[in-house]
Amino acid sequence: MPNESYFALGVTFSTMAVALAGVAIYYLHRTRHTPPGVVLPEDIEKPKESAALLAYATTTGDATTTGDVNLQRDPAKWCQRCNVVKKSSQQHCGVCGCCVEQRNQHAWPVGACVGAGNEVPFMQFLLATSAHGVVGGFAVLLHMVVY
């Protein structure tokens, strides 16, 4: 029978690892169900005739400008998929199919974009997952040494 103090330490670290796994799952759920900051066409201040001008510019090849947005020569300011004028802090996600404010990435473990709205829960998820890995690894090492 191993030393009782090592056994108690192993049980403590195993319990902490299970608790941290639960915390990581909670933050994963919170990240997945918090809106990342999707930019909708009605949220954008755009010129009134921008869609008509874009259609005209693409069919005729004319360099049409509306305000400071050049619809043909500067596609970085115009999202052709969402049909909105973009700010410099917005990016289009090809997986989600929408523009996201302060888009960080499309995180495959979460299954959603990480943007301005869910960046904090995503960082908490990463921290809880990392802590779970460290504590769980230490519990396994302790178990291997003792037994």
Side-chain angles (χ1 to χ4, degrees):
M1 183 74 179
N3 190 350
E4 293 295 324
S5 63
Y6 285 124
F7 181 75
L9 191 61
V11 168
T12 303
F13 276 106
S14 298
T15 305
M16 286 173 48
V18 169
L20 284 170
V23 170
I25 290 171
Y26 167 74
Y27 283 122
L28 172 68
H29 175 75
R30 211 172 131 203
T31 303
R32 177 68 178 109
H33 295 289
T34 302
V38 174
V39 180
L40 301 173
E42 56 266 11
D43 296 339
I44 303 290
E45 292 180 19
K46 60 181 181 177
K48 293 179 182 176
E49 305 90 16
S50 61
L53 288 175
L54 179 66
Y56 175 76
T58 55
T59 56
T60 62
D62 186 23
T64 306
T65 59
T66 306
D68 64 337
V69 179
N70 187 326
L71 296 177
Q72 186 179 17
R73 294 188 185 164
D74 195 4
K77 293 184 178 183
W78 181 264
C79 181
Q80 296 178 355
R81 295 180 192 141
C82 295
N83 203 23
V84 296
V85 177
K86 294 191 304 184
K87 297 177 188 172
S88 61
S89 62
Q90 298 167 350
Q91 287 183 341
H92 186 83
C93 176
V95 179
C96 292
C98 58
C99 286
V100 177
E101 184 71 32
Q102 295 177 358
R103 181 177 175 264
N104 183 345
Q105 63 180 327
H106 185 89
W108 64 266
V110 177
C113 275
V114 176
N118 63 352
E119 190 168 19
V120 171
F122 181 69
M123 293 301 179
Q124 292 169 334
F125 164 70
L126 291 179
L127 181 67
T129 304
S130 301
H132 167 71
V134 169
V135 171
F138 190 72
V140 168
L141 272 172
L142 187 63
H143 182 74
M144 288 172 54
V145 168
V146 171
Y147 293 102

